[in-house]
Structures are given as C-alpha cells and as structure tokens.
Amino acid sequence: MGALSKYVFVTGGVVSGLGKGVVTASLGCLLQARGVAVTLQKIDPYLNVDAGTMNPYEHGEVFVTRDGLETDLDVGHYERFLGQDLGAANYLTTGQVYWNVIGRERHGDYLGHTVQVIPHITDEIKRLIRGVLAATGAEVVVVEVGGTVGDIEGLPYLEAIRQLRDELPRQDVSVVHLSYVPVLSTTGELKTKPTQHSVKELRAVGIQPDFVVARCPVPLPEGLRAKIALFCDVAPDHVIEGRDLVSIYEVPLALREEGFDVKLLARLGLPVHSGDLAAWESFVNRLRCPSRAVRIGIVGKYVELRDAYLSIVEALHHAGAALETKVDIAWVPAARVEEEGEGALDGLAGILVPGGFGERGIEGKVLAAGYARRAGVPFFGICLGMQCAVIAFAREVLGWPRANSTEFDPGTPHPVIDLLPEQGKVTAKGGTMRLGEYPAVLAPGSLVHRLYGQDEIAERHRHRYEFNPKYLSAFAAVGLRPSALSPDGRLVEAMEAVDHPWYVGVQYHPEFRSRPLRPHPLFLGFVQACLASSSR
Ligand code: GLN
C-alpha cells in the first residue's frame, strides 16, 4: 500500500444508465494524469458471485481481467481510461461478499455470535474496499457503487460507506453523486427535482455527498447549478456539469474543464500537480476528425444489444483513431446471414465474427467466415469467431461437410473444435472455463508474428473449447496455419489463412487489451487491411 489511503465513492441517482462507469473511469484518468497513484473498483450489488453467468442481454459484455475474473463491462472502461491492467480486487459483488462471510460462518470463525448484515456484511465490504489499495499499491481508489440510490441491494454498501466516513479522517473519504437533470419535452425546461430527491435519499441513509455531477442533455445554466447547490447542500462549485458528449473519451476533458480534478484533490487534501492530458487530447481529436472511413461488419448473435461487444467496438475505434479512420460498424445479425445468405454481407470492407456461446446463429457465422475467405475480404475471428472460421475451412476446403464443434454437434464425424481430454466433463456453468491471461509463442514469419513484432505474447481467454490438435497438419496442408501455440505446443492460440489478404482467427480475446493510446496490433492490422481492401 502507498503512504496514503483515500477513498472516493461514486453513487448514482434517479435512473440507471447515466454513465457512472465512464465518470468513474474519467476521474481515474484525471487523477492519474496529475500524478496520483489511483485505482478503480466496481461494486455490483448482485447476488451473482461474478459476472460470468450474467446474460449479455441484461448486462452487456463480460469483461475478463488478466488474472481471470469475469467482471462487469465497467471494469473494461476503467482499464481503457487508466491504461492499466486491473485484477480481481477491483471488482466485488454481493455474491462474493456473502460467500466470504458464509464461508467464515461455516468455519466457525464467528465464535457462536449471530451473523448479521451490520456489522458482518458491512465489515466484509469495508475489508474488500480497503483491500484494493493493498492489492494495487494505489493511494486513492475511486469506487463505483453499482445501481441507483434507494435500491434495496445497495443499502449495505451505503451503510459501509457511511461507517468509513465516520471512521476515517474527513479528508480521506469523499462522495460524488451522479444524478440526472432532464429536459421536459413539453416546455424545454431543465428540471432539478429528481436530483434533489435522490440526494435526499442518500442523506436519509446518512451520507451527504461532497459533489453532485448533474448529467444533462444540454449545458447546465448557472441558476440551476446554484439551485442544486442550495437544495442538496453542496458548494455551488461542487455541482459539476455532466453534459451529453459525442464520445465517452471526451468525458475526462469535459470534467477537467469543470475543474473537477482540482476540486476533488483539494477535498482530499492532496497537492495539485500540473497534469498532462496531451496524448489523450490528440487521441480524441483523431477520433473526432478522421480523414477517411471504412465499413466493417460485425456478425454476431446479440447485435441488437451493442454493449454485448463493447470492448471489440472500442478496440476498433482505438485502431481507427490511430489510422485517422472512422470505423463505421455494420451490425449484421448472424440469423440474417442464415436467411439471406451472403447478400447480407455485401459492401463490407471487412468482417469480424466475435466470441459467443450457444448454437443460435452459428451457421450464419460459419457462412460469413467462408464468404470472407472466398471473396478475399479481410476477416477477423475472435474466439468463437476463430472456431467458426475453422469449421468453414473444414467444410469448404477439406471437404468435410459435417465438420463442427462438439459444442454444437456432439456427434460430428469431424470434431475440429472440441473439449480437450484434460478438461474433463463440464457439469457446472460458473467458473469452468479457461479464463484470464495465458502465454503463447508466435510462429516466425506469420502475419500475426509480424503484426505483434514480438515472439511471445500473453492474451486473455474465456472459453471451454479448443482447436482439435489432431487436425493441425490437415489444415496446414490446405493453407490454414497456426500463427500462435501455447508454449508446450499443445493448444492452438491463433490461425491464419495463407493466400488471403488478411484472414486471422484467435482463440483469445485481444479486445480486452486494446487501449486508446495503445491500440492492439491485431486490430490495427485488421483495420489497415480493411482500408486497403476498400480502396481496391
Ligand atoms: N463457445 C466457445 C467456447 O466455449 C467460444 C467462447 C467464446 O467465444 N468466448 O469455446
């Protein structure tokens, strides 16, 4: 742990979906830019132990940390805005809190006492919040409390925060409340009443916020700032405007314009060092003013819900910004490819098939992978996307019409994707996958090797099935070659098609490591290939 331990809590009011994760991530970005050793933590007040079993329809993508924890997508924002890898200590759920407490109870650690929400659950919450500073060596943690103030699930967390405020010196704890100031469609008026009510709700559980960030669709008039300050009992200059912006990456810049970083540092009793956001600014400018555009299709199961592929979208935009290119994403439901055939893929400069689980839409994805190969369209298959490319290749090039993954056809005569023997039988859904970072060795002379510019890589995984190594030579003989293997040579981590402008499948999830200022080499290579293909 560093010399200091300071806690900033970000709560949310009125409605969900106000961008609390982005505001939290932006505070991290701003404090870090001013030389503060900062980390971020997400509290998910669900009973799920981790986000692994949560449906992307309800929660968006599952983000995987380097150490293999399945987390909420906000942790992805944190990593991208901080440019740092985070870990299991940066994410906690009610399921995990209760799991720990019940484990101790079974072990007899409570010595016959009644185990209660207060103090046992709240003590465990405080332990996990303090623990993140020890785990990361940071001096300040910005903790995002998921959900909305007033939710039953959130109460133990608010109580833990209330206790911490009492236990620690005033300068060590600050609370930021994110609220909503809507415009009435009938009169065009901005309304502060919902904000007043949600702050009242917070005060009812004993917490007075130090800052109110007013999310609003238009600039916040000074008069309303004063009104929020008066009714919510915060200083007028602690009411921060949180206007809607075109890109989430503009949020740190807008909050800095409000002086939020300086005011927060002052509240925490920390010195204000001069900060530099020049690289971030130039990234945002490149994002805002691209000189060309390219249209890339994402063929997936959940395309109605874009958050399900959040990190992939962000990774494409990071690469696009580096190439001064606007990446226009065409969302293609895999089911539409099944119905309409290849016509659904017309006019795309590149095709990306993302990860996924379950049979729905598989044939559409296999068709898309096959079409990209035949038509010479750049193709990037990620996890399930790579598996679909392998299936397409087996069917179309090796002439094995029933080739499949045993995930979708357990009786296939050509199980080109399979569970490996050492994985055993999958009986439970939670915590039974290959998760987190694993090393891989790149094949010299391969496209993937050239793009990474290094011999060994470490990438994050989240899957059960693997390329079946017994078919390696059959595929290599017809032009689908491994570009990366596990160090023991047993697992195929990436494959590429020779005789194709850009056809790469990876068993891992490179999107989790892409950063605004450090785009991932494979995404960079892919967008570049798409640009080349669209100008042909
Ligand atoms: N369903 C596949 C597997 O479990 C792919 C998983 C993924 O794309 N993340 O191996």
Side-chain angles (χ1 to χ4, degrees):
M1 213 187 308
L4 302 168
S5 305
K6 306 228 177 224
Y7 305 86
V8 178
F9 294 97
V10 181
T11 59
V14 186
V15 287
S16 60
L18 289 178
K20 209 168 354 118
V22 171
V23 168
T24 304
S26 299
L27 283 178
C29 172
L30 289 175
L31 294 182
Q32 179 169 271
R34 291 202 182 262
V36 177
V38 61
T39 193
L40 303 171
Q41 187 181 46
K42 170 83 192 254
I43 290 175
D44 252 345
Y46 305 124
L47 287 168
N48 304 61
V49 174
D50 58 37
T53 54
M54 292 192 197
N55 182 342
Y57 265 124
E58 286 175 37
H59 297 279
E61 107 183 333
V62 175
F63 185 85
V64 181
T65 56
R66 189 177 173 177
D67 55 2
L69 191 74
E70 298 173 281
T71 72
D72 177 73
L73 53 76
D74 282 318
V75 178
H77 286 311
Y78 300 173
E79 288 206 358
R80 289 186 281 271
F81 279 64
L82 283 179
Q84 275 180 32
D85 290 343
L86 301 179
N90 299 85
Y91 182 64
L92 75 96
T93 68
T94 300
Q96 191 197 330
V97 171
Y98 273 76
W99 179 286
N100 295 353
V101 170
I102 292 171
R104 261 178 239 137
E105 186 274 334
R106 292 289 81 188
H107 193 246
D109 294 356
Y110 295 107
L111 306 172
H113 291 295
T114 313
V115 183
Q116 295 181 290
V117 172
I118 306 172
H120 302 102
I121 293 296
T122 46
D123 279 354
E124 179 61 10
I125 291 169
K126 288 188 287 181
R127 193 184 69 81
L128 291 170
I129 290 172
R130 287 168 180 253
V132 72
L133 291 179
T136 58
E139 299 187 325
V140 177
V141 58
V142 185
V143 183
E144 175 188 355
V145 185
T148 307
V149 169
D151 295 346
I152 288 178
E153 290 99 327
L155 283 174
Y157 296 100
L158 297 179
E159 169 59 16
I161 295 169
R162 190 198 64 75
Q163 291 174 18
L164 273 178
R165 275 166 67 93
D166 276 353
E167 291 163 17
L168 297 173
R170 192 185 118 74
Q171 289 198 320
D172 288 354
V173 184
S174 180
V175 174
V176 175
H177 185 64
L178 186 67
S179 180
Y180 184 45
V181 179
V183 176
L184 280 197
S185 61
T186 41
T187 59
E189 236 182 314
L190 280 163
K191 287 299 193 184
T192 64
K193 190 72 85 189
T195 298
Q196 297 174 35
H197 277 292
S198 77
V199 170
K200 202 164 138 192
E201 193 107 36
L202 202 51
R203 290 164 78 174
V205 294
I207 298 174
Q208 168 63 43
D210 303 300
F211 294 91
V212 171
V213 179
R215 289 283 292 109
C216 45
V218 293
L220 190 67
E222 278 313 312
L224 287 197
R225 213 186 273 260
K227 190 170 175 188
I228 292 172
L230 184 63
F231 281 90
C232 300
D233 195 19
V234 294
D237 67 338
H238 281 198
V239 178
I240 309 289
E241 173 190 282
R243 205 173 354 128
D244 288 351
L245 297 164
V246 177
S247 156
I248 56 170
Y249 296 111
E250 295 175 23
V251 175
L253 305 177
L255 293 181
R256 188 182 56 169
E257 236 159 79
E258 289 280 293
F260 196 8
D261 49 348
V262 174
K263 294 171 191 172
L264 184 59
L265 286 168
R267 171 65 183 76
L268 295 171
L270 290 172
V272 180
H273 299 297
S274 62
D276 182 14
L277 276 179
W280 192 272
E281 262 163 343
S282 101
F283 160 71
V284 170
N285 285 337
R286 271 177 281 126
L287 207 57
R288 269 192 204 140
C289 314
S291 54
R292 51 203 168 164
V294 72
R295 191 166 165 76
I296 295 180
I298 297 185
V299 181
K301 171 161 132 183
Y302 293 112
V303 292
E304 325 72 73
L305 191 90
R306 316 232 148 142
D307 272 0
Y309 305 111
L310 184 67
S311 290
I312 289 185
V313 172
E314 298 307 327
L316 287 170
H317 290 320
H318 302 160
L323 299 165
E324 289 178 15
T325 299
K326 177 172 185 338
V327 177
D328 263 328
I329 296 178
W331 294 96
V332 186
R336 198 200 309 154
V337 184
E338 284 171 15
E339 282 156 26
E340 295 173 17
E342 291 169 3
L345 305 164
D346 265 355
L348 299 174
I351 294 175
L352 188 152
V353 178
F357 295 82
E359 203 182 345
R360 186 155 71 84
I362 286 301
E363 291 304 321
K365 295 177 194 174
V366 171
L367 215 62
Y371 161 79
R373 184 188 54 78
R374 280 178 271 112
V377 173
F379 174 85
F380 196 5
I382 294 180
C383 208
L384 180 66
M386 160 176 152
Q387 299 175 355
C388 289
V390 168
I391 295 167
F393 221 88
R395 292 181 185 172
E396 295 179 6
V397 184
L398 288 165
W400 301 338
R402 286 192 52 214
N404 214 328
S405 161
T406 51
E407 181 179 5
F408 314 120
D409 179 5
T412 169
H414 293 101
V416 288
I417 306 292
D418 201 0
L419 287 177
L420 298 188
E422 67 264 29
Q423 287 169 292
K425 257 183 108 61
V426 179
T427 47
K429 287 271 190 261
T432 55
M433 279 190 272
R434 178 143 88 102
L435 284 170
E437 202 169 87
Y438 286 86
V441 178
L442 301 183
S446 63
L447 167 67
V448 168
H449 182 232
R450 202 172 70 233
L451 290 171
Y452 276 101
Q454 58 197 77
D455 300 333
E456 215 183 298
I457 54 168
E459 292 279 6
R460 300 184 198 175
H461 291 249
R462 180 173 186 253
H463 59 102
R464 293 191 178 87
Y465 292 80
E466 303 278 352
F467 177 85
N468 189 338
K470 85 173 184 206
Y471 295 114
L472 202 51
S473 52
F475 278 96
V478 292
L480 188 65
R481 303 219 177 118
S483 5
L485 296 174
S486 58
D488 64 3
R490 298 200 58 250
L491 301 172
V492 176
E493 300 282 31
M495 301 192 84
E496 61 191 61
V498 293
D499 302 330
H500 190 287
W502 210 96
Y503 198 91
V504 174
V506 292
Q507 188 54 78
Y508 49 82
H509 290 275
E511 69 272 23
F512 295 145
R513 286 207 313 121
S514 177
R515 308 276 182 259
L517 308 184
R518 232 183 315 127
H520 193 285
L522 293 185
F523 279 90
L524 214 47
F526 176 57
V527 175
Q528 214 152 20
C530 297
L531 271 172
S533 101
S534 63
S535 60
R536 263 204 315 246

